[in-house]
Amino acid sequence: TSVLCNGDCDVYIDLNVTGGSPSYSYSWSNGDTIEDPDSLCAGSYSVEILDYDSCKKTYSTDILQPDSLSITFNSSNPNCEIDNGSIAAISNGGTSPYTYIWSGLNNTMSNLSGLSDSLYKVTITDQNNCKIVDSVLLIAEPAPIAGFDQIIGCSGDSSLFEDTSSGYIVSWLWDFGVFPQVLSNDEMPSYIYSDTGDYNVSLIVSDSFGCNDTVLKAVAVKPSSEVSFSMEPDSGCSPVQIDFYQDMP
């Protein structure tokens, strides 16, 4: 004998006493003195039956109960700015089979897919009509946003690039805008432009979910400056004062 749902007290015991000398008296371990106690919870019960001639008989029984009905969720948040979230509702305890009703959705499956960021509530009912209600919140993962800063050197000098992208970035692909094509997978690369001019530098970033974003910037490489100076006098015996002058172009 078992209660229908964990924690319920809905069982009764039906005694059928024969023999001895009627009438009978009953003394139950839970304090009842009637023949057929009801509204019993899970547990062990015993009764001492005494007939008219004070002959005794003891009877015992156990009332069982199923494990508590519970839910665990395996969920995946939507990412890449598309509705690709998922939920798997896993039922435990109670008495199988289970039915699932998701609030606001025309779906009675335990697993959902193609979900947006939202709160999802499910009611699970087991074979004995025991119920549990629980919910899970899906939060959209931030999409990557590509960006970079640069310190552009003159021709023949090193130009520095710094990734400023947001999101869970795990890989970088730089194109420095030259021909033949030069690429880099470094997070903060450098490159030496041999010629002056305008170059279209691009950065493609990828996050841990496989989402991508691209940014393109035009950078200008200027010629190196030539610096010359003169001095007066150009020689002398120590001690001597020499004045230096920057030559004007």
Side-chain angles (χ1 to χ4, degrees):
T1 303
S2 175
V3 297
L4 293 178
C5 303
N6 185 280
D8 281 356
C9 297
D10 55 8
V11 171
Y12 73 93
I13 298 176
D14 183 13
L15 278 183
N16 183 15
V17 181
T18 60
S21 301
S23 61
Y24 311 103
S25 63
Y26 307 91
S27 177
W28 288 91
S29 57
N30 68 337
D32 280 338
T33 57
I34 59 176
E35 179 179 359
D36 300 326
D38 58 11
S39 301
L40 299 178
C41 308
S44 296
Y45 296 85
S46 63
V47 60
E48 183 181 84
I49 305 170
L50 187 69
D51 73 358
Y52 183 76
D53 295 325
S54 297
C55 298
K56 295 181 182 180
K57 179 70 176 181
T58 300
Y59 167 80
S60 62
T61 188
D62 292 325
I63 297 176
L64 306 178
Q65 68 177 347
D67 292 336
S68 297
L69 187 59
S70 63
I71 311 172
T72 56
F73 294 107
N74 287 336
S75 61
S76 175
N77 288 323
N79 54 68
C80 297
E81 298 184 317
I82 58 177
D83 295 342
N84 59 356
S86 64
I87 301 172
I90 303 170
S91 301
N92 300 285
T95 305
S96 62
Y98 310 99
T99 59
Y100 302 81
I101 298 177
W102 294 90
S103 299
L105 299 176
N106 184 24
N107 197 312
T108 57
M109 304 296 291
S110 60
N111 296 345
L112 303 179
S113 60
L115 303 177
S116 62
D117 55 330
S118 186
L119 180 68
Y120 296 88
K121 185 168 78 171
V122 63
T123 300
I124 297 179
T125 306
D126 74 358
Q127 187 180 44
N128 293 333
N129 205 37
C130 309
K131 299 179 184 293
I132 187 171
V133 180
D134 205 347
S135 60
V136 58
L137 178 65
L138 296 188
I139 301 175
E141 302 290 354
I145 300 176
F148 66 87
D149 289 332
Q150 67 283 338
I151 301 174
I152 303 301
C154 297
S155 60
D157 297 330
S158 181
S159 295
L160 305 178
F161 298 90
E162 179 182 5
D163 174 53
T164 60
S165 305
S166 62
Y168 306 115
I169 309 301
V170 296
S171 67
W172 302 261
L173 180 60
W174 298 86
D175 184 333
F176 299 110
V178 296
F179 184 83
Q181 189 179 47
V182 177
L183 305 176
S184 173
N185 296 119
D186 293 338
E187 182 178 357
M188 293 186 291
S190 63
Y191 183 73
I192 297 175
Y193 290 94
S194 59
D195 297 318
T196 60
D198 294 328
Y199 297 88
N200 291 319
V201 178
S202 67
L203 169 63
I204 302 174
V205 293
S206 301
D207 67 10
S208 55
F209 303 102
C211 314
N212 302 315
D213 192 39
T214 303
V215 61
L216 178 68
K217 286 186 179 182
V219 299
V221 178
K222 298 180 180 180
S224 298
S225 300
E226 294 184 2
V227 178
S228 63
F229 67 92
S230 58
M231 58 187 178
E232 292 181 358
D234 60 3
S235 63
C237 296
S238 177
V240 63
Q241 177 176 326
I242 300 177
D243 297 321
F244 294 88
Y245 306 94
Q246 179 178 348
D247 293 339
M248 301 302 294

